[in-house]
């Protein structure tokens, strides 16, 4: 299984970035896809979540500035981030949940992370 993330980088405050995560090798049914972030000295934080049905969830810290979307056919999840703030600086990780319908076992996959750096 491979989750390949891209789109991170350095951007000025107020700018935008679009992160992409392409998954390959997952043989089970993907249920939900999301993005988390981890900044130095802080706990891992959910950034956005989208279910197979398209329902989304955002924490208040990013609500209104971030949009998550997915392409089920390509097993890809995108994260559009606008009006970025210095406090958005972190490593961003793609997260995918899948389930083996034959036995109900769930699997969780993580990307390698992509760095987002927002300057003042």
């Amino acid at each position: 299984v491979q989750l390949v993330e891209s789109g991170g980088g350095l951007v000025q405050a107020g700018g935008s970035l679009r992160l992409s995560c392409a998954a390959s090798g997952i043989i089970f049914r993907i249920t939900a896809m999301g993005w988390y972030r981890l900044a130095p000295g802080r706990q891992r934080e959910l950034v956005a979540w989208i279910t197979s049905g398209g329902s989304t969830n955002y924490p208040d810290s990013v609500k209104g500035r971030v949009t998550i979307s997915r392409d089920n056919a390509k097993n890809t999840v995108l994260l559009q981030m606008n009006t970025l703030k210095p406090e958005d600086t972190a490593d961003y990780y793609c997260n995918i949940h899948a389930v083996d319908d034959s036995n109900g076992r769930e699997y969780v996959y993580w990307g390698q992370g992509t760095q987002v750096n927002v300057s003042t």
Side-chain angles (χ1 to χ4, degrees):
V1 174
Q2 202 172 21
L3 274 61
V4 179
E5 297 153 338
S6 61
L10 174 64
V11 64
Q12 286 188 326
S16 300
L17 282 175
R18 189 175 83 157
L19 306 184
S20 175
C21 173
S24 61
I26 298 177
I27 62 173
F28 303 119
R29 180 172 56 88
I30 293 176
T31 53
M33 308 173 87
W35 290 89
Y36 286 79
R37 66 186 180 188
L38 182 62
R42 299 176 64 178
Q43 289 187 330
R44 186 177 64 190
E45 178 187 22
L46 172 70
V47 180
W49 192 249
I50 186 167
T51 68
S52 57
S55 297
T56 57
N57 183 42
Y58 306 97
D60 290 341
S61 59
V62 302
K63 195 172 292 183
R65 302 188 295 119
V66 166
T67 302
I68 189 171
S69 59
R70 60 187 285 176
D71 184 332
N72 292 330
K74 297 180 179 179
N75 283 351
T76 298
V77 58
L78 302 174
L79 186 70
Q80 178 67 43
M81 301 190 293
N82 301 322
T83 320
L84 283 162
K85 304 176 181 180
E87 51 263 44
D88 294 318
T89 294
D91 290 327
Y92 285 69
Y93 296 89
C94 175
N95 174 266
I96 293 179
H97 284 232
V99 63
D100 181 350
D101 287 324
S102 70
N103 56 25
R105 181 175 177 181
E106 294 186 345
Y107 295 82
V108 180
Y109 305 101
W110 289 93
Q112 81 285 356
T114 184
Q115 190 173 55
V116 171
N117 201 316
V118 185
S119 64
T120 56

